[in-house]
């Protein structure tokens, strides 16, 4: 039996979800191009391969989406996954329209509002609270609703639906009915919002997209709905996972927590993005047969790129399993690379920096009750649903 055949990677396996990094190390060493015949996917785990494949838009298509779940994979994926399920020229047109809204100046202008939201929430938390449920889960969606133009009275509804979209149970291999129904409800809501903004434009994302009218630039209402659905699901979830992971790993590493609390907030954010990547993989379809490391990935195959593994590759990152908030890691592929690089990078980083800065300004230390920890069950996600915390106030 070849060494590669001894390696087994199943992203739904509870042991893998609890700690995928030892499995990634075995993949990188023994099966850099891995095939799971039962789940019918291929996976690449080395940094060089993940980066090369993500950049290769000609041989790897997003037309079926970027999710491993059967309900989310197929030619209609663009309707709810937007730019993550598009190839050029559709992808170029829609992404260009959206990118003009998410400029650095607009994102930076959100910092005061994000700071107020975070401070208001921290005013409410007692000395013992659930870091995720009582704090982190309650503000990223408010920020997104502010950008989109959702009336304040509807923020709670959008939060509830977005949470259901990404909610999974242990052992499930596909999106549950509740998630599909929540997706349809979100899309229906956004369709109504588009009609309202068509009659009464405002300074928000929906109005911005509706106003684009140049030749070959206009985005349809259906395309706007798809992007808003993607934004509320992925944009909200990524920030929640990033902050929960940052809080947890700094607690697990007291020396690094001390550096973070001394003011190295940006390093705290960046090292968490590398060390425990919120989104562990992204799927593509091979357009042609692709040979790598003596293995041929057949045309039409579902291929997983594993940024969670790439960010721990010792060929790129020295001592990669060490959590070090002073580390410089410009090569990390947490947010992807190439034409599908995450549009919300600036926004995610801003929210994380502001939230951690405000936490450090209020609390001198904290402890986590590990008996109450609960991780998210989605195969591609790394984060927490519950993170019981006891804080020491300044």
């Amino acid at each position: 039996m070849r060494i590669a055949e001894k390696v087994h990677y199943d992203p739904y396996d509870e042991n893998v979800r609890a700690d995928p990094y030892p499995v990634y190390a075995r993949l990188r060493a023994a099966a850099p191009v891995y095939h799971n015949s039962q789940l019918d996917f291929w996976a690449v785990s080395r940094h060089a391969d993940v980066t090369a494949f993500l950049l290769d838009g000609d041989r790897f298509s997003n037309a079926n989406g970027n999710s491993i779940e059967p309900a989310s994979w197929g030619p209609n994926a663009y309707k709810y996954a937007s730019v993550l399920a598009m190839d050029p020229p559709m992808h170029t047109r829609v992404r260009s329209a959206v990118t003009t809204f998410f400029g650095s100046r607009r994102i930076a202008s959100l910092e005061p509002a994000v700071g107020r939201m975070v401070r208001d929430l921290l005013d409410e938390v007692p000395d013992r609270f659930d870091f995720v449920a009582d704090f982190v889960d309650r503000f990223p969606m408010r920020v997104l609703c502010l950008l989109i133009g959702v009336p304040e009275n509807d923020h709670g509804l959008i939060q509830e639906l977005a949470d259901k979209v990404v909610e999974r149970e242990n052992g499930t291999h596909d999106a549950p009915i509740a998630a599909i129904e929540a997706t349809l409800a979100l899309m229906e809501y956004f369709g109504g919002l588009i009609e309202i903004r068509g009659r009464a434009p405002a300074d928000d994302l929906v109005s911005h997209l509706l106003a684009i009218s140049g030749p070959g630039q206009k985005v349809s209402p259906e395309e706007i709905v798809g992007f808003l659905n993607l934004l509320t699901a992925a944009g909200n979830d990524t920030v929640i996972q990033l902050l929960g992971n940052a809080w947890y790993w700094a607690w697990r590493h007291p020396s690094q927590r001390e550096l973070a609390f001394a003011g190295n907030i940006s390093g705290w954010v960046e090292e968490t993005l590398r060390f425990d990547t919120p989104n562990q993989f992204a799927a593509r379809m091979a357009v042609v047969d692709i040979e790598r490391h003596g293995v041929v990935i057949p045309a039409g195959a579902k291929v997983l790129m594993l940024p969670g593994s790439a960010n721990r590759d010792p060929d790129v990152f020295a001592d990669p399993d060490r959590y070090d908030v002073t580390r410089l890691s410009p090569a990390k592929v947490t947010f992807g690379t190439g034409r599908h690089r995450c549009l919300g990078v600036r926004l995610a980083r801003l929210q994380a920096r502001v939230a951690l800065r405000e936490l450090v300004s209020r609390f001198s230390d904290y402890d986590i009750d590990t008996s109450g920890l609960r991780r998210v069950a989605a195969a591609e996600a790394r984060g927490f649903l519950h993170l019981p915390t006891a804080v020491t106030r300044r």
Side-chain angles (χ1 to χ4, degrees), residues 326-382:
T326 68
R327 183 194 302 269
L328 299 178
S329 55
K332 63 180 175 291
V333 287
T334 304
F335 292 107
T337 188
R339 65 186 179 213
H340 287 283
R341 188 171 187 267
C342 178
L343 279 164
V345 170
R346 292 192 186 98
L347 183 59
R349 283 183 164 129
L350 181 140
Q351 291 180 85
R353 287 197 304 269
V354 170
L356 294 174
R357 182 188 68 205
E358 295 295 336
L359 285 159
V360 166
S361 74
R362 297 205 181 202
F363 309 129
S364 60
D365 204 357
Y366 63 96
D367 197 13
I368 290 175
D369 178 6
T370 57
S371 67
L373 291 181
R374 185 184 169 196
R375 285 194 170 274
V376 296
E380 73 275 14
R382 283 287 291 172

Side-chain angles (χ1 to χ4, degrees), residues 154-173:
D154 291 339
H155 288 191
L157 170 64
I158 302 302
Q159 175 78 67
E160 179 182 355
L161 291 174
D163 285 345
K164 288 181 180 178
V165 168
V166 298
E167 187 175 334
R168 300 292 184 270
E169 295 293 332
N170 291 331
T172 58
H173 285 53

Side-chain angles (χ1 to χ4, degrees), residues 27 30 45 76 78 101 117 122 194 208 218 226 229 239 289 310 333 368 379:
L27 287 174
S45 49
N76 291 319
Y78 74 93
F101 183 83
M117 292 179 194
L122 291 178
I194 288 169
H208 167 83
K218 184 176 178 61
N229 181 68
V239 176
D289 289 355
V333 287
I368 290 175

Side-chain angles (χ1 to χ4, degrees), residues 103-363:
S104 57
R105 183 174 299 178
R106 182 184 296 273
I107 298 304
S109 72
L110 290 172
E111 184 165 348
V114 175
R116 286 193 296 272
M117 292 179 194
V118 170
R119 288 190 292 273
D120 288 346
L121 288 172
L122 291 178
D123 284 344
E124 300 175 6
V125 300
D127 290 348
R128 293 180 179 274
F129 64 101
D130 188 319
F131 183 81
V132 176
D134 297 332
F135 172 56
V136 179
D137 193 38
R138 297 178 60 194
F139 80 86
M141 186 56 71
R142 298 186 192 182
V143 177
L144 293 175
C145 285
L146 182 65
L147 279 172
I148 292 169
V150 174
E152 188 170 352
N153 289 342
D154 291 339
H155 288 191
L157 170 64
I158 302 302
Q159 175 78 67
E160 179 182 355
L161 291 174
D163 285 345
K164 288 181 180 178
V165 168
V166 298
E167 187 175 334
R168 300 292 184 270
E169 295 293 332
N170 291 331
T172 58
H173 285 53
D174 204 354
I177 294 298
I180 295 172
E181 291 175 344
T183 297
L184 295 174
L186 267 179
M187 295 173 75
E188 182 179 3
Y189 177 89
F190 289 135
L193 182 61
I194 288 169
E195 291 181 3
I196 292 172
R197 286 292 175 260
R199 298 190 298 269
D203 183 21
D204 55 40
L205 175 58
V206 173
S207 301
H208 167 83
L209 294 175
L210 286 172
I212 296 174
S213 58
Q217 297 177 325
K218 184 176 178 61
V219 287
S220 68
E222 181 186 49
E223 291 166 340
I224 297 174
V225 166
F227 183 77
L228 297 180
N229 181 68
L230 168 65
L231 183 63
T232 51
N236 179 59
D237 218 34
T238 298
V239 176
I240 294 170
Q241 292 160 12
L242 166 56
L243 283 169
N245 290 342
W247 197 243
Y248 175 76
W249 288 115
W251 174 74
R252 285 284 303 274
H253 297 84
S255 64
Q256 300 307 303
R257 181 170 75 247
E258 184 177 347
L259 292 172
F261 271 58
N264 193 357
I265 302 299
S266 291
W268 191 4
V269 171
E270 295 305 313
E271 178 64 346
T272 303
L273 285 169
R274 182 202 69 84
F275 186 80
D276 207 8
T277 307
N279 297 298
Q280 291 283 302
F281 60 76
R284 301 285 191 272
M285 183 187 71
V287 176
V288 296
D289 289 355
I290 297 164
E291 189 276 334
R292 200 77 165 186
H293 303 295
V295 178
V296 176
I297 301 173
K302 182 183 295 183
V303 184
L304 300 190
M305 288 75 160
L306 307 179
S309 173
N311 286 341
R312 295 279 193 106
D313 191 332
D315 287 344
V316 179
F317 305 99
D319 198 4
D321 295 325
R322 177 170 56 89
Y323 187 69
D324 178 6
V325 301
T326 68
R327 183 194 302 269
L328 299 178
S329 55
K332 63 180 175 291
V333 287
T334 304
F335 292 107
T337 188
R339 65 186 179 213
H340 287 283
R341 188 171 187 267
C342 178
L343 279 164
V345 170
R346 292 192 186 98
L347 183 59
R349 283 183 164 129
L350 181 140
Q351 291 180 85
R353 287 197 304 269
V354 170
L356 294 174
R357 182 188 68 205
E358 295 295 336
L359 285 159
V360 166
S361 74
R362 297 205 181 202
F363 309 129

